[in-house]
Amino acid sequence: MSAVSDRLPAFPWDKLEPYKKTAAAHPGGLVDLSVGTPVDPVPELIQKALADAADSPGYPTVWGTPALRDAITGWLERRLGARDVTHRHVLPVVGSKELVAWLPTQLGLGPGDQVAHPRLAYPTYEVGARLARAGHVSYDDPRELDPANLKLLWLNSPSNPTGKVLSREELTGIVAWAREHGVLIASDECYLELGWEADPVSVLHPDVNGGSYDGIVAVHSLSKRSNLAGYRAAFLAGDPAVLMPLLEIRKHGGMMSSAPTQAAAVAALGDDEHVRLQRERYAARRDRLRAALLSHGFRIEHSEAGLYLWSTRDESCWDTVAHLAGLGILVAPGDFYGEAGEKSVRVALTATDERIDEAVARLTA
């Protein structure tokens, strides 16, 4: 066991525990803005679909039901502007974190291969490379990387943690560069429906990929848009030459979503209204929290999309964490996402209106 666990970095969230205790001791209670976990109810139509599928005694399939594949392809064309998407272009997965962590291994990467990810990034990109015993390298612009031995390039737009959005032109250039050098692109687009000051675009859009899915896959999740983090519902879409071998590997591994979860995902992908309502909730929370942080002396960087405000007071992120913990507010230190985040903190919008209002009151007192 240690041979595997020793490859992994220390779990960073354990370092927050002392600050969480400080914040929890505040007379008004803890306002936890550190983790981006949904707090609003699962929409009723999705709950109903889950319940209606509760009598599912047989094994589900790894590829999902035809209804689920239809729902995914329909959503990709309706929402992302993708064209000519068939069932061979999609693959359900058991939550996007599972996919990110195990994709390098399932692609057959190993020692000598390189996996690239943004300099400020979700830590699981690096974890996935380490699990596969592959190397990992970070970038500001992937086109400046040495393509030798680079096998997998992670994009993340909108970004976690910064909320930065890659423009259509940037994505087009990156796709062309990756194809020129034979590098597979995996684009993590889990926050794509949460653009505020930018309109995020997918690598699956024909303006970006030239009408071809060769060498690109996109990762999408229902956790944020539909409050389904507890359901573990996500999917890959893109190059069938990548997805169909992955399907066979995942069949052998039994990596399948439950039948009720698949039914719930069909309902979630077929309804845009609940997404609109959830966006309105987050937009209102974002406006209030952003104004309060600015009034408290913070500077907000990027954050044009997603569920976080990337904030700085130009000091050590841990000094900022300690300061806010003294106000009963817990945030994530920026260095959890790379050394480049050492002077920033990630402030999540995923708290109830009551807790957001409490944070605003403390920041503006």
Side-chain angles (χ1 to χ4, degrees):
M1 292 294 292
S2 63
V4 177
S5 62
D6 287 351
R7 295 181 216 157
L8 305 179
F11 190 65
W13 292 93
D14 293 341
K15 294 169 64 177
L16 261 188
E17 280 305 311
Y19 301 92
K20 186 173 184 178
K21 289 180 180 177
T22 297
H26 190 278
L30 170 68
V31 179
D32 192 345
L33 306 180
S34 64
V35 182
T37 185
V39 298
D40 298 303
V42 173
E44 287 187 12
L45 84 159
I46 301 175
Q47 293 191 47
K48 184 178 186 302
L50 184 86
D52 288 347
D55 186 13
S56 297
Y59 288 111
T61 66
V62 172
W63 204 12
T65 62
L68 176 56
R69 282 176 262 142
D70 282 343
I72 294 172
T73 58
W75 180 83
L76 291 169
E77 295 191 349
R78 183 180 76 249
R79 178 62 188 88
L80 303 191
R83 295 291 179 265
D84 302 318
V85 185
T86 72
H87 285 196
R88 291 175 55 81
H89 291 91
V90 301
L91 178 61
V93 296
V94 192
S96 59
K97 184 171 185 176
E98 167 263 304
L99 183 280
V100 171
W102 292 108
L103 183 60
T105 298
Q106 292 175 3
L107 290 172
L109 304 190
D113 297 323
Q114 289 284 339
V115 176
H117 58 75
R119 195 169 304 282
L120 280 167
Y122 183 47
T124 312
Y125 304 134
E126 178 183 331
V127 167
R130 287 173 175 263
L131 286 170
R133 298 186 181 180
H136 56 90
V137 60
S138 62
Y139 64 80
D140 293 312
D141 183 338
R143 291 167 289 187
E144 298 174 353
L145 292 168
D146 180 354
N149 301 317
L150 180 59
K151 299 299 176 61
L152 178 62
L153 170 60
W154 281 107
L155 304 181
N156 182 209
S157 175
S159 163
N160 172 17
T162 69
K164 182 180 180 180
V165 173
L166 294 173
S167 70
R168 191 177 304 246
E169 293 73 25
E170 287 174 307
L171 286 172
T172 301
I174 292 168
V175 168
W177 179 89
R179 284 175 169 166
E180 178 185 352
H181 296 288
V183 178
L184 175 65
I185 285 180
S187 182
D188 183 346
E189 302 175 352
C190 290
Y191 296 88
L192 188 135
E193 292 198 281
L194 296 168
W196 312 118
E197 297 162 3
D199 186 14
V201 64
S202 171
V203 295
L204 301 177
H205 195 285
D207 287 355
V208 171
N209 61 42
S212 168
Y213 300 114
D214 291 350
I216 56 174
V217 294
V219 185
H220 284 274
S221 168
L222 303 185
S223 294
K224 306 301 192 291
R225 71 184 291 280
S226 299
N227 300 334
L228 296 190
Y231 284 43
R232 312 314 302 136
F235 57 89
L236 271 176
D239 191 345
V242 176
L243 299 190
M244 292 301 96
L246 281 176
L247 171 60
E248 295 306 312
I249 292 166
R250 294 172 67 84
K251 284 180 180 177
H252 283 291
M255 305 179 84
M256 60 191 80
S257 298
S258 74
T261 294
Q262 293 186 30
V266 171
L269 288 166
D271 178 72
D272 295 330
E273 178 62 13
H274 77 276
V275 181
R276 184 187 68 79
L277 293 173
Q278 189 61 46
R279 277 180 51 85
E280 288 181 355
R281 293 187 191 105
Y282 284 136
R285 292 167 186 166
R286 180 182 183 273
D287 288 346
R288 300 199 302 276
L289 192 56
R290 185 177 187 278
L293 287 166
L294 291 172
S295 73
H296 199 76
F298 281 90
R299 187 173 71 254
I300 309 297
E301 298 180 330
H302 306 301
S303 306
E304 58 256 35
L307 289 180
Y308 312 104
L309 292 168
W310 188 242
S311 310
T312 182
R313 300 203 309 172
D314 296 310
E315 64 184 5
S316 163
C317 59
W318 288 100
D319 288 345
T320 306
V321 168
H323 169 73
L324 291 174
L327 299 177
I329 301 169
L330 189 67
V331 298
D335 65 4
F336 278 11
Y337 308 94
E339 292 181 3
E342 63 184 0
K343 291 189 175 181
S344 300
V345 294
R346 193 192 76 169
V347 185
L349 308 178
T350 51
T352 63
D353 289 334
E354 184 273 330
R355 288 287 87 186
I356 292 290
D357 288 342
E358 181 67 23
V360 168
R362 296 178 193 179
L363 289 166
T364 56

